[in-house]
Amino acid sequence: MKLAVLSCIHGNYEALITVLDDVEEQKVDQIYCLGDLVGYGPYPNEVAALVRSLDIPTVQGCWDEDIVDGLNACDCSYPSLLAEKRGKAAHVWTDKIIHPEIREYLAQLPKVIKKDQLAFTHGSPQSQHEYLLPELDGFLALERVLSTGADVLFCGHTHVPYVRTLDEGSLKFSVQTDSSKAIAAKQEFTTSIKQIINAGSVGEPRHGRPNATYIIYDTDADQVTMREVEYDYKKTCAAIIEQGLPKIFAWRLAKGMEFAERADDPTHLCERGV
Amino acid sequence: MHWAILSGIEGNLEAYEAVLRDVHRQTPTVTDLFILGDLIDGTPEGNVVVERIRHPKKGELVPQVCKGAWEEQCLIVRGLAVEPEENLFVLEKGGFVLRQLWDNVPREMVQWFSRLHFGFAELDCLLVHGSSLGVFEKLTPDLSPLILLDRLARTGSNRLFCGRSGQTFKYQVAKAKLAATVTTLDSVEEEQNYDVGDRLIIGVGNVGRQPKEATYTLYNPETDKLIFRTVRYGKTAGFR
């Protein structure tokens, strides 16, 4: 079975329709979406409506959650004060134009979708706001996968695609309940191979090029393909400026990077949702 | 350097006095007394423990106190702290406890609670009531070792002392290994290797919950020596 996994569309309708064309060419059996349908981009209603109309199983992203519950930023939401200021401006704009039925749709999205030995989430299984960066301590990354009961965890949120294979995990531990007696002397905890697959971003890529990224996963061959798709990003950039959103969103979309605001602290762990 | 680490007096002054006497008898001498929260139990009688802690007798160690679940809940009741999305403490104790705390804990005492620390970071050790994640989280030895490693990783320390569960336990991650590879969009493959050794999570026991029997922990941060103490008090007093 061939799966396409899309994430972080961020109101970029042009990128979404181009990626969906590419998905069709790849002859996939099923599409999954990892949320953040809205935020930053100029077409949140159109993007969410299209994803909903195609019946794509979708999890709730951090932006989707904030549009439903109100802005409740935690330390991990924004990597800098500047980013937070711009993020809040985008939130206010999105909140104003979002249709009630789209808000309802975003509200009922689950945090995690589990399908056989695959799990799909936006940031991490414990919080839509937590970044599973490729440099995150391996044991913590392993814990996030195991918490879902899956072998493969698909996530987004970082906007940069990667495949991380966690192998040969073993941990020796002992438990003692008083000064003299070990009740669980030298136990060993081992795991089979687990994977974290980050789908990157359709609508706001940050891998250094403006092209949309997404993942194709072949469940039979256990094969991952990272797709990079060119689209007319200038159209979206023009719409961002036209709608009065912060101009830097257009700038970084054209560059495929975040300007001085990369969320790049792999030691930071989210305190929400645990 | 020799620490005595207590938690969960829960308004039981008799138990606290018995533990203080036991601490005083220790050789080598205890140099620091940490109390990891849960001083009160929501009753007016239980409040005397707080007064006793705040005003140690001459020659006694001045306790270093951090917030427990009872203290945090007092702050929440008074609007001085944010209630968690799922309040496990209220679920466990029952909703009536909110009224109890409002009625029985004086405002001045709550103000004192508001000045307490979340925990103490000392010499590669973090001492907290719950966990590095929050005051209400209960760490027990039957949790997944990876969850415990996560809570340790959040501290930046190799030793985590906690009191929420009331249990005395020493959970040692002796050795952990993991290999990983990361492949990026440009087909760059990076190999990662993780080695973890000698991390401890210590449950420090509970002073006041169980009648006639208090537990607490002695720790020497220089030698890493850990002793769990059980203090029997009252009519059937004895020590183990």
Side-chain angles (χ1 to χ4, degrees), chain A residues 105-163:
Chain A
Y105 166 69
L106 298 176
Q108 54 79 51
L109 295 174
K111 284 185 182 177
V112 179
I113 291 174
K114 181 96 191 296
K115 173 80 173 120
D116 303 324
Q117 283 309 296
L118 311 178
F120 303 85
T121 194
H122 175 72
S124 97
Q126 67 180 33
S127 165
Q128 293 104 310
H129 294 259
E130 185 171 76
Y131 290 90
L132 292 185
L133 292 162
E135 305 87 15
L136 176 70
D137 179 279
F139 291 102
L140 304 190
L142 185 61
E143 191 277 326
R144 301 301 185 268
V145 184
L146 292 177
S147 72
T148 65
D151 291 326
V152 182
L153 173 63
F154 291 90
C155 64
H157 192 44
T158 70
H159 294 212
V160 181
Y162 67 82
V163 179

Short mmCIF file of all heavy atoms in Angstrom, two decimals, chain A residues 105-163:
data_model
loop_
_atom_site.label_atom_id
_atom_site.label_comp_id
_atom_site.label_asym_id
_atom_site.label_seq_id
_atom_site.Cartn_x
_atom_site.Cartn_y
_atom_site.Cartn_z
N TYR A 105 -14.69 22.07 11.95
CA TYR A 105 -13.94 20.96 11.36
C TYR A 105 -12.57 20.81 12.06
O TYR A 105 -12.17 19.71 12.44
CB TYR A 105 -13.76 21.20 9.85
CG TYR A 105 -12.73 20.30 9.20
CD1 TYR A 105 -12.96 18.93 9.04
CD2 TYR A 105 -11.52 20.82 8.74
CE1 TYR A 105 -12.01 18.11 8.45
CE2 TYR A 105 -10.57 20.01 8.14
CZ TYR A 105 -10.82 18.66 8.00
OH TYR A 105 -9.87 17.85 7.42
N LEU A 106 -11.89 21.92 12.26
CA LEU A 106 -10.58 21.89 12.92
C LEU A 106 -10.70 21.38 14.37
O LEU A 106 -9.82 20.69 14.87
CB LEU A 106 -9.92 23.27 12.91
CG LEU A 106 -9.60 23.90 11.55
CD1 LEU A 106 -9.04 25.30 11.72
CD2 LEU A 106 -8.62 23.03 10.76
N ALA A 107 -11.81 21.73 15.01
CA ALA A 107 -12.01 21.37 16.42
C ALA A 107 -12.13 19.87 16.62
O ALA A 107 -11.72 19.34 17.66
CB ALA A 107 -13.25 22.06 16.97
N GLN A 108 -12.70 19.18 15.64
CA GLN A 108 -12.93 17.74 15.85
C GLN A 108 -11.78 16.86 15.35
O GLN A 108 -11.86 15.63 15.40
CB GLN A 108 -14.28 17.32 15.24
CG GLN A 108 -14.49 17.66 13.77
CD GLN A 108 -13.79 16.70 12.82
OE1 GLN A 108 -13.96 15.49 12.95
NE2 GLN A 108 -12.99 17.24 11.91
N LEU A 109 -10.71 17.49 14.89
CA LEU A 109 -9.57 16.69 14.41
C LEU A 109 -8.86 16.03 15.60
O LEU A 109 -8.65 16.66 16.63
CB LEU A 109 -8.58 17.57 13.64
CG LEU A 109 -9.08 18.18 12.33
CD1 LEU A 109 -8.03 19.14 11.76
CD2 LEU A 109 -9.40 17.10 11.30
N PRO A 110 -8.48 14.76 15.45
CA PRO A 110 -7.78 14.09 16.57
C PRO A 110 -6.32 14.52 16.66
O PRO A 110 -5.76 15.06 15.71
CB PRO A 110 -7.87 12.61 16.17
CG PRO A 110 -7.92 12.62 14.68
CD PRO A 110 -8.66 13.88 14.29
N LYS A 111 -5.70 14.26 17.82
CA LYS A 111 -4.28 14.60 17.98
C LYS A 111 -3.39 13.52 17.36
O LYS A 111 -2.28 13.81 16.91
CB LYS A 111 -3.93 14.74 19.46
CG LYS A 111 -4.41 16.05 20.06
CD LYS A 111 -3.95 16.20 21.49
CE LYS A 111 -4.49 17.49 22.08
NZ LYS A 111 -4.14 17.66 23.49
N VAL A 112 -3.87 12.30 17.40
CA VAL A 112 -3.10 11.17 16.85
C VAL A 112 -4.04 10.27 16.08
O VAL A 112 -5.17 10.03 16.51
CB VAL A 112 -2.42 10.35 17.98
CG1 VAL A 112 -1.64 9.16 17.41
CG2 VAL A 112 -1.48 11.22 18.82
N ILE A 113 -3.60 9.80 14.94
CA ILE A 113 -4.32 8.75 14.21
C ILE A 113 -3.43 7.52 14.20
O ILE A 113 -2.23 7.62 13.92
CB ILE A 113 -4.64 9.17 12.75
CG1 ILE A 113 -5.69 10.29 12.74
CG2 ILE A 113 -5.15 7.97 11.94
CD1 ILE A 113 -5.97 10.88 11.35
N LYS A 114 -4.01 6.39 14.54
CA LYS A 114 -3.25 5.14 14.56
C LYS A 114 -3.82 4.22 13.51
O LYS A 114 -5.04 4.03 13.43
CB LYS A 114 -3.38 4.53 15.97
CG LYS A 114 -2.64 3.25 16.17
CD LYS A 114 -1.27 3.47 16.79
CE LYS A 114 -0.45 2.20 16.71
NZ LYS A 114 -0.99 1.08 17.48
N LYS A 115 -2.96 3.67 12.67
CA LYS A 115 -3.41 2.72 11.63
C LYS A 115 -2.40 1.57 11.62
O LYS A 115 -1.24 1.76 11.22
CB LYS A 115 -3.46 3.45 10.28
CG LYS A 115 -3.74 2.54 9.10
CD LYS A 115 -5.23 2.24 9.00
CE LYS A 115 -5.51 1.47 7.71
NZ LYS A 115 -6.09 0.16 7.91
N ASP A 116 -2.84 0.40 12.10
CA ASP A 116 -1.95 -0.76 12.22
C ASP A 116 -0.70 -0.35 13.02
O ASP A 116 -0.81 0.13 14.12
CB ASP A 116 -1.61 -1.33 10.85
CG ASP A 116 -2.88 -1.73 10.08
OD1 ASP A 116 -3.82 -2.21 10.75
OD2 ASP A 116 -2.92 -1.54 8.86
N GLN A 117 0.48 -0.50 12.42
CA GLN A 117 1.71 -0.16 13.14
C GLN A 117 2.23 1.23 12.79
O GLN A 117 3.41 1.55 12.99
CB GLN A 117 2.79 -1.22 12.89
CG GLN A 117 2.55 -2.51 13.69
CD GLN A 117 2.33 -2.23 15.17
OE1 GLN A 117 3.22 -1.74 15.86
NE2 GLN A 117 1.14 -2.51 15.68
N LEU A 118 1.33 2.06 12.25
CA LEU A 118 1.70 3.44 11.88
C LEU A 118 0.93 4.42 12.77
O LEU A 118 -0.23 4.18 13.08
CB LEU A 118 1.35 3.72 10.42
CG LEU A 118 1.81 2.70 9.36
CD1 LEU A 118 1.32 3.12 7.99
CD2 LEU A 118 3.33 2.55 9.37
N ALA A 119 1.59 5.49 13.16
CA ALA A 119 0.92 6.55 13.91
C ALA A 119 1.20 7.88 13.22
O ALA A 119 2.31 8.09 12.69
CB ALA A 119 1.40 6.58 15.35
N PHE A 120 0.21 8.74 13.24
CA PHE A 120 0.31 10.03 12.56
C PHE A 120 0.00 11.12 13.57
O PHE A 120 -1.03 11.08 14.25
CB PHE A 120 -0.70 10.11 11.41
CG PHE A 120 -0.54 9.01 10.39
CD1 PHE A 120 -1.14 7.78 10.58
CD2 PHE A 120 0.22 9.21 9.24
CE1 PHE A 120 -0.99 6.74 9.66
CE2 PHE A 120 0.37 8.18 8.31
CZ PHE A 120 -0.24 6.95 8.51
N THR A 121 0.90 12.09 13.67
CA THR A 121 0.68 13.19 14.60
C THR A 121 1.33 14.45 14.03
O THR A 121 2.10 14.38 13.08
CB THR A 121 1.26 12.84 16.00
OG1 THR A 121 0.75 13.76 16.95
CG2 THR A 121 2.79 12.90 16.02
N HIS A 122 1.00 15.60 14.61
CA HIS A 122 1.55 16.84 14.04
C HIS A 122 2.96 17.13 14.57
O HIS A 122 3.94 17.10 13.83
CB HIS A 122 0.64 18.03 14.34
CG HIS A 122 1.22 19.33 13.87
ND1 HIS A 122 1.30 19.65 12.53
CD2 HIS A 122 1.79 20.36 14.54
CE1 HIS A 122 1.89 20.84 12.41
NE2 HIS A 122 2.20 21.29 13.61
N GLY A 123 3.05 17.40 15.87
CA GLY A 123 4.36 17.70 16.47
C GLY A 123 4.96 16.46 17.08
O GLY A 123 5.91 15.88 16.58
N SER A 124 4.37 16.07 18.21
CA SER A 124 4.73 14.80 18.83
C SER A 124 3.44 14.23 19.44
O SER A 124 2.47 14.97 19.59
CB SER A 124 5.81 15.00 19.89
OG SER A 124 5.25 15.10 21.17
N PRO A 125 3.43 12.96 19.80
CA PRO A 125 2.19 12.39 20.34
C PRO A 125 1.71 13.09 21.62
O PRO A 125 0.55 13.01 21.96
CB PRO A 125 2.57 10.94 20.64
CG PRO A 125 3.76 10.67 19.82
CD PRO A 125 4.48 11.96 19.68
N GLN A 126 2.63 13.75 22.33
CA GLN A 126 2.20 14.37 23.58
C GLN A 126 1.81 15.84 23.43
O GLN A 126 1.16 16.38 24.30
CB GLN A 126 3.25 14.19 24.67
CG GLN A 126 4.54 14.93 24.45
CD GLN A 126 5.51 14.68 25.58
OE1 GLN A 126 5.52 13.61 26.17
NE2 GLN A 126 6.32 15.66 25.91
N SER A 127 2.22 16.46 22.36
CA SER A 127 1.86 17.86 22.17
C SER A 127 2.02 18.27 20.71
O SER A 127 3.05 17.97 20.11
CB SER A 127 2.74 18.75 23.05
OG SER A 127 2.65 20.10 22.64
N GLN A 128 1.02 18.98 20.21
CA GLN A 128 1.13 19.47 18.82
C GLN A 128 2.24 20.51 18.69
O GLN A 128 2.67 20.82 17.59
CB GLN A 128 -0.19 20.15 18.38
CG GLN A 128 -1.36 19.23 18.24
CD GLN A 128 -2.30 19.37 19.41
OE1 GLN A 128 -1.89 19.33 20.55
NE2 GLN A 128 -3.58 19.54 19.12
N HIS A 129 2.68 21.03 19.83
CA HIS A 129 3.68 22.11 19.81
C HIS A 129 5.11 21.60 19.97
O HIS A 129 6.05 22.39 19.89
CB HIS A 129 3.38 23.12 20.92
CG HIS A 129 2.09 23.86 20.70
ND1 HIS A 129 2.03 25.14 20.21
CD2 HIS A 129 0.81 23.48 20.89
CE1 HIS A 129 0.77 25.52 20.12
NE2 HIS A 129 0.00 24.53 20.52
N GLU A 130 5.27 20.33 20.26
CA GLU A 130 6.62 19.82 20.51
C GLU A 130 7.32 19.45 19.20
O GLU A 130 6.76 18.74 18.37
CB GLU A 130 6.59 18.59 21.42
CG GLU A 130 7.98 18.11 21.80
CD GLU A 130 7.97 17.04 22.87
OE1 GLU A 130 7.63 15.89 22.56
OE2 GLU A 130 8.27 17.37 24.03
N TYR A 131 8.53 19.95 19.03
CA TYR A 131 9.32 19.68 17.82
C TYR A 131 10.10 18.38 17.98
O TYR A 131 10.93 18.27 18.89
CB TYR A 131 10.32 20.81 17.57
CG TYR A 131 9.69 22.12 17.15
CD1 TYR A 131 9.32 23.06 18.10
CD2 TYR A 131 9.47 22.41 15.80
CE1 TYR A 131 8.74 24.27 17.73
CE2 TYR A 131 8.90 23.61 15.42
CZ TYR A 131 8.54 24.54 16.38
OH TYR A 131 7.97 25.73 16.00
N LEU A 132 9.85 17.43 17.12
CA LEU A 132 10.70 16.24 17.08
C LEU A 132 11.80 16.51 16.06
O LEU A 132 11.72 16.11 14.90
CB LEU A 132 9.90 14.99 16.70
CG LEU A 132 8.88 14.50 17.73
CD1 LEU A 132 8.24 13.19 17.28
CD2 LEU A 132 9.49 14.33 19.11
N LEU A 133 12.81 17.22 16.50
CA LEU A 133 13.93 17.55 15.62
C LEU A 133 14.81 16.32 15.44
O LEU A 133 14.86 15.46 16.33
CB LEU A 133 14.75 18.70 16.22
CG LEU A 133 14.01 20.04 16.25
CD1 LEU A 133 14.69 20.99 17.23
CD2 LEU A 133 13.97 20.67 14.86
N PRO A 134 15.53 16.21 14.33
CA PRO A 134 16.36 15.02 14.12
C PRO A 134 17.49 14.89 15.13
O PRO A 134 18.06 13.82 15.26
CB PRO A 134 16.89 15.22 12.69
CG PRO A 134 16.70 16.65 12.37
CD PRO A 134 15.55 17.13 13.18
N GLU A 135 17.80 15.98 15.84
CA GLU A 135 18.88 15.92 16.84
C GLU A 135 18.35 15.62 18.24
O GLU A 135 19.15 15.53 19.18
CB GLU A 135 19.63 17.27 16.92
CG GLU A 135 20.19 17.76 15.60
CD GLU A 135 19.17 18.58 14.82
OE1 GLU A 135 18.15 18.98 15.40
OE2 GLU A 135 19.39 18.79 13.61
N LEU A 136 17.04 15.50 18.40
CA LEU A 136 16.49 15.20 19.73
C LEU A 136 17.13 13.92 20.26
O LEU A 136 17.29 12.94 19.51
CB LEU A 136 14.97 15.03 19.63
CG LEU A 136 14.25 14.62 20.92
CD1 LEU A 136 14.26 15.75 21.95
CD2 LEU A 136 12.81 14.20 20.63
N ASP A 137 17.46 13.92 21.54
CA ASP A 137 18.05 12.74 22.18
C ASP A 137 17.31 11.47 21.72
O ASP A 137 16.08 11.40 21.75
CB ASP A 137 17.94 12.89 23.70
CG ASP A 137 18.50 11.69 24.44
OD1 ASP A 137 17.76 10.68 24.56
OD2 ASP A 137 19.65 11.75 24.86
N GLY A 138 18.08 10.49 21.29
CA GLY A 138 17.51 9.28 20.70
C GLY A 138 16.53 8.55 21.60
O GLY A 138 15.51 8.03 21.15
N PHE A 139 16.82 8.51 22.90
CA PHE A 139 15.94 7.81 23.84
C PHE A 139 14.60 8.54 23.98
O PHE A 139 13.56 7.91 24.12
CB PHE A 139 16.61 7.66 25.21
CG PHE A 139 17.77 6.71 25.19
CD1 PHE A 139 19.06 7.19 25.17
CD2 PHE A 139 17.56 5.34 25.15
CE1 PHE A 139 20.13 6.31 25.13
CE2 PHE A 139 18.62 4.46 25.10
CZ PHE A 139 19.91 4.95 25.09
N LEU A 140 14.66 9.87 23.94
CA LEU A 140 13.42 10.64 24.05
C LEU A 140 12.59 10.46 22.77
O LEU A 140 11.37 10.33 22.83
CB LEU A 140 13.71 12.13 24.29
CG LEU A 140 14.56 12.46 25.51
CD1 LEU A 140 14.57 13.95 25.77
CD2 LEU A 140 14.08 11.73 26.74
N ALA A 141 13.29 10.43 21.64
CA ALA A 141 12.60 10.18 20.37
C ALA A 141 11.95 8.79 20.39
O ALA A 141 10.79 8.63 19.96
CB ALA A 141 13.59 10.30 19.22
N LEU A 142 12.67 7.82 20.90
CA LEU A 142 12.16 6.46 21.00
C LEU A 142 10.92 6.42 21.90
O LEU A 142 9.93 5.74 21.59
CB LEU A 142 13.26 5.55 21.57
CG LEU A 142 12.96 4.04 21.64
CD1 LEU A 142 12.69 3.46 20.26
CD2 LEU A 142 14.13 3.31 22.28
N GLU A 143 10.97 7.15 23.01
CA GLU A 143 9.82 7.20 23.93
C GLU A 143 8.58 7.73 23.21
O GLU A 143 7.48 7.22 23.41
CB GLU A 143 10.17 8.08 25.14
CG GLU A 143 9.16 7.99 26.28
CD GLU A 143 7.95 8.89 26.13
OE1 GLU A 143 8.07 10.00 25.58
OE2 GLU A 143 6.86 8.47 26.54
N ARG A 144 8.78 8.75 22.37
CA ARG A 144 7.63 9.34 21.64
C ARG A 144 7.01 8.30 20.71
O ARG A 144 5.79 8.23 20.59
CB ARG A 144 8.06 10.58 20.85
CG ARG A 144 8.67 11.71 21.67
CD ARG A 144 7.73 12.23 22.75
NE ARG A 144 8.29 13.37 23.44
CZ ARG A 144 9.02 13.30 24.57
NH1 ARG A 144 9.26 12.13 25.13
NH2 ARG A 144 9.49 14.39 25.15
N VAL A 145 7.83 7.52 20.04
CA VAL A 145 7.30 6.49 19.13
C VAL A 145 6.58 5.41 19.96
O VAL A 145 5.43 5.05 19.66
CB VAL A 145 8.40 5.83 18.28
CG1 VAL A 145 7.78 4.85 17.28
CG2 VAL A 145 9.21 6.87 17.52
N LEU A 146 7.24 4.91 21.00
CA LEU A 146 6.67 3.83 21.79
C LEU A 146 5.36 4.23 22.47
O LEU A 146 4.48 3.40 22.67
CB LEU A 146 7.67 3.36 22.85
CG LEU A 146 8.92 2.65 22.32
CD1 LEU A 146 9.86 2.31 23.46
CD2 LEU A 146 8.56 1.38 21.56
N SER A 147 5.23 5.51 22.80
CA SER A 147 4.00 5.96 23.47
C SER A 147 2.77 5.79 22.59
O SER A 147 1.65 5.75 23.07
CB SER A 147 4.14 7.43 23.90
OG SER A 147 4.09 8.28 22.76
N THR A 148 2.98 5.66 21.28
CA THR A 148 1.85 5.47 20.37
C THR A 148 1.55 3.98 20.14
O THR A 148 0.51 3.65 19.58
CB THR A 148 2.14 6.10 18.98
OG1 THR A 148 3.24 5.38 18.38
CG2 THR A 148 2.49 7.57 19.09
N GLY A 149 2.49 3.13 20.52
CA GLY A 149 2.32 1.70 20.26
C GLY A 149 2.62 1.33 18.81
O GLY A 149 2.38 0.20 18.39
N ALA A 150 3.17 2.27 18.06
CA ALA A 150 3.43 2.03 16.63
C ALA A 150 4.92 1.73 16.41
O ALA A 150 5.75 1.93 17.30
CB ALA A 150 3.02 3.25 15.82
N ASP A 151 5.21 1.29 15.19
CA ASP A 151 6.60 1.10 14.80
C ASP A 151 7.12 2.31 14.01
O ASP A 151 8.31 2.59 14.00
CB ASP A 151 6.76 -0.15 13.91
CG ASP A 151 6.52 -1.42 14.71
OD1 ASP A 151 6.87 -1.45 15.90
OD2 ASP A 151 5.97 -2.38 14.14
N VAL A 152 6.19 2.97 13.34
CA VAL A 152 6.56 4.13 12.53
C VAL A 152 5.70 5.31 12.95
O VAL A 152 4.46 5.20 13.00
CB VAL A 152 6.34 3.86 11.02
CG1 VAL A 152 6.78 5.07 10.19
CG2 VAL A 152 7.10 2.62 10.59
N LEU A 153 6.35 6.41 13.29
CA LEU A 153 5.64 7.62 13.69
C LEU A 153 5.86 8.70 12.62
O LEU A 153 7.00 9.06 12.34
CB LEU A 153 6.16 8.11 15.04
CG LEU A 153 5.63 9.47 15.53
CD1 LEU A 153 4.12 9.43 15.77
CD2 LEU A 153 6.33 9.89 16.82
N PHE A 154 4.78 9.17 12.03
CA PHE A 154 4.85 10.27 11.06
C PHE A 154 4.56 11.58 11.79
O PHE A 154 3.58 11.66 12.55
CB PHE A 154 3.81 10.08 9.95
CG PHE A 154 4.10 8.92 9.05
CD1 PHE A 154 3.60 7.67 9.34
CD2 PHE A 154 4.88 9.08 7.92
CE1 PHE A 154 3.86 6.58 8.52
CE2 PHE A 154 5.15 8.00 7.08
CZ PHE A 154 4.64 6.75 7.38
N CYS A 155 5.41 12.57 11.57
CA CYS A 155 5.18 13.87 12.20
C CYS A 155 5.54 14.97 11.22
O CYS A 155 6.10 14.72 10.14
CB CYS A 155 6.00 14.01 13.48
SG CYS A 155 7.78 13.99 13.20
N GLY A 156 5.22 16.19 11.61
CA GLY A 156 5.56 17.36 10.79
C GLY A 156 6.12 18.43 11.70
O GLY A 156 7.04 18.19 12.46
N HIS A 157 5.54 19.64 11.62
CA HIS A 157 5.79 20.73 12.57
C HIS A 157 7.15 21.41 12.42
O HIS A 157 7.25 22.60 12.68
CB HIS A 157 5.61 20.20 14.01
CG HIS A 157 5.57 21.26 15.07
ND1 HIS A 157 4.84 22.42 14.95
CD2 HIS A 157 6.15 21.32 16.30
CE1 HIS A 157 4.99 23.15 16.06
NE2 HIS A 157 5.78 22.51 16.89
N THR A 158 8.19 20.68 12.02
CA THR A 158 9.51 21.31 11.88
C THR A 158 9.68 21.93 10.50
O THR A 158 10.59 22.73 10.28
CB THR A 158 10.65 20.29 12.06
OG1 THR A 158 10.68 19.41 10.94
CG2 THR A 158 10.49 19.49 13.34
N HIS A 159 8.84 21.52 9.54
CA HIS A 159 8.87 22.02 8.16
C HIS A 159 10.08 21.54 7.36
O HIS A 159 10.33 22.03 6.26
CB HIS A 159 8.78 23.55 8.11
CG HIS A 159 7.47 24.08 8.61
ND1 HIS A 159 6.90 25.24 8.12
CD2 HIS A 159 6.60 23.63 9.54
CE1 HIS A 159 5.76 25.46 8.75
NE2 HIS A 159 5.56 24.50 9.62
N VAL A 160 10.85 20.66 7.94
CA VAL A 160 12.01 20.10 7.23
C VAL A 160 11.89 18.57 7.27
O VAL A 160 11.89 17.98 8.36
CB VAL A 160 13.35 20.53 7.88
CG1 VAL A 160 14.54 19.96 7.10
CG2 VAL A 160 13.45 22.05 7.94
N PRO A 161 11.81 17.92 6.09
CA PRO A 161 11.58 16.47 6.12
C PRO A 161 12.84 15.69 6.51
O PRO A 161 13.96 16.13 6.23
CB PRO A 161 11.18 16.15 4.67
CG PRO A 161 11.83 17.22 3.86
CD PRO A 161 11.90 18.45 4.72
N TYR A 162 12.63 14.57 7.16
CA TYR A 162 13.74 13.65 7.45
C TYR A 162 13.17 12.28 7.76
O TYR A 162 11.99 12.14 8.09
CB TYR A 162 14.61 14.16 8.61
CG TYR A 162 13.95 14.17 9.96
CD1 TYR A 162 13.89 13.00 10.74
CD2 TYR A 162 13.38 15.33 10.49
CE1 TYR A 162 13.28 13.01 11.99
CE2 TYR A 162 12.77 15.34 11.73
CZ TYR A 162 12.73 14.18 12.48
OH TYR A 162 12.13 14.17 13.71
N VAL A 163 14.05 11.30 7.68
CA VAL A 163 13.70 9.94 8.12
C VAL A 163 14.71 9.56 9.19
O VAL A 163 15.92 9.63 8.95
CB VAL A 163 13.76 8.93 6.95
CG1 VAL A 163 13.43 7.52 7.45
CG2 VAL A 163 12.81 9.34 5.83
#
